[in-house]
Amino acid sequence: MKISKDIRLLFKPYYYVNIILSLSYIVSKKLPFLCSFIFPSSESQCEFDSRESEILFFLMIVVMIRTRKAGSVTMINYLSSSFMYTKVANLILWFYADIRMGVFFGIIFILVGLLLPEPTYSGPENVIYFRTAQGVEDELMRNKKIAWLVTFYTAWNPACVNFAPVFSQLSVEYNLDNLKFGKIDIGRYPDAAKKYYVNDSSMSRQLPTMILFKEGKEVMRRPAVDSKGKLQKFFFSEDNVKAAFDLNNLYNECKNNPLKKRKEVTDNHEKEE
């Protein structure tokens, strides 16, 4: 099911256009009719020289490392995390081959970035979006019998973007009156990052951070910090989140202990003496 969903996403302009740009140099070199048209000077131009091979090998290593650090666990996640690196590598290769082609590719690179932003999740969700750290605190204190799962994220972080649809789907599957899901963009509201000790820098390995609150207090977070103060690596896949926060048992616990609804008392009721 997930694979078929990923394949359908590939037909969106953002993905197939970026795939074309990411493969543009290799395809131009390896397809004879394209190579003879773009690189007409000599037959040897259709073979990768040592410098080009080095750039492609380095690109492969960077993509592998960065996508894993971003917590990419699906085909779409890998593609989204790697597009920037592959397009930059293609830009370098095109400039190396011909400065005019490099300028042309650079213009297309910029236009695609401006006109084709990455698609955001548009499916169902039961998520409350907070705007301040005080807003989170007020909601936690409003009714301490409600358990909250809150994600601290930034809009620019690839791992946060990859996790967004997963969190939305979990909020639909597990939402109850006393089990709620919330999010706050700590890029826009850094006071929340400070209050809940989440590093929001561009090099942070705490993005996203997911915290479970019970009775208004934090009881668990991922990624967690061990006894030596070292941050433990965590991949935010659906299965990992369910297991780490024991969502099935948490859901059953909350479902078996629903919030008590206040009884309405009418003014017309008269006490019998």
Side-chain angles (χ1 to χ4, degrees), residues 99-111:
I99 190 170
R100 294 169 298 178
M101 296 300 296
V103 171
F104 179 69
F105 184 87
I107 293 172
I108 296 177
F109 187 163
I110 294 171
L111 288 176

Side-chain angles (χ1 to χ4, degrees), residues 35-64:
C35 185
S36 59
F37 176 74
I38 298 174
F39 308 103
S41 58
S42 66
E43 294 183 1
S44 62
Q45 285 286 77
C46 294
E47 298 295 332
F48 294 124
D49 62 23
S50 59
R51 179 61 59 84
E52 291 169 328
S53 298
E54 288 174 2
I55 293 172
L56 290 171
F57 181 75
F58 181 72
L59 168 65
M60 182 177 66
I61 298 298
V62 169
V63 168
M64 289 175 62

Side-chain angles (χ1 to χ4, degrees), residues 96-254:
Y96 175 72
D98 188 324
I99 190 170
R100 294 169 298 178
M101 296 300 296
V103 171
F104 179 69
F105 184 87
I107 293 172
I108 296 177
F109 187 163
I110 294 171
L111 288 176
V112 168
L114 294 174
L115 300 177
L116 289 178
E118 183 173 358
T120 57
Y121 178 76
S122 58
E125 64 176 16
N126 286 314
V127 178
I128 294 175
Y129 289 84
F130 299 106
R131 297 191 176 183
T132 62
Q134 190 59 47
V136 178
E137 184 71 17
D138 291 344
E139 197 62 45
L140 294 175
M141 296 296 109
R142 192 185 306 278
N143 189 335
K144 292 185 178 181
K145 293 183 179 180
I146 298 176
W148 279 90
L149 280 162
V150 181
T151 294
F152 297 79
Y153 74 102
T154 62
W156 48 261
N157 183 272
C160 295
V161 174
N162 292 340
F163 182 54
V166 175
F167 190 73
S168 295
Q169 291 162 13
L170 291 173
S171 74
V172 173
E173 184 177 352
Y174 290 96
N175 185 73
L176 293 169
D177 288 341
N178 55 347
L179 176 56
K180 294 185 178 294
F181 292 74
K183 292 181 74 173
I184 183 165
D185 185 349
I186 57 175
R188 296 179 63 187
Y189 310 109
D191 58 324
K194 293 179 181 178
K195 182 175 179 62
Y196 292 99
Y197 305 103
V198 180
N199 185 346
D200 61 347
S201 71
S202 59
M203 301 299 291
S204 174
R205 293 189 297 165
Q206 287 184 277
L207 294 172
T209 287
M210 188 172 173
I211 302 179
L212 171 62
F213 295 94
K214 285 185 175 181
E215 298 183 353
K217 297 180 180 179
E218 177 183 334
V219 295
M220 184 187 304
R221 75 164 59 197
R222 291 291 185 275
V225 179
D226 62 22
S227 58
K228 297 181 180 179
K230 185 178 180 180
L231 195 68
Q232 297 176 327
K233 199 170 186 178
F234 186 78
F235 289 153
F236 282 88
S237 67
E238 182 177 344
D239 291 338
N240 285 350
V241 171
K242 286 182 177 180
F245 291 91
D246 198 9
L247 284 185
N248 289 325
N249 285 331
L250 177 62
Y251 177 85
N252 291 329
E253 177 187 336
C254 293

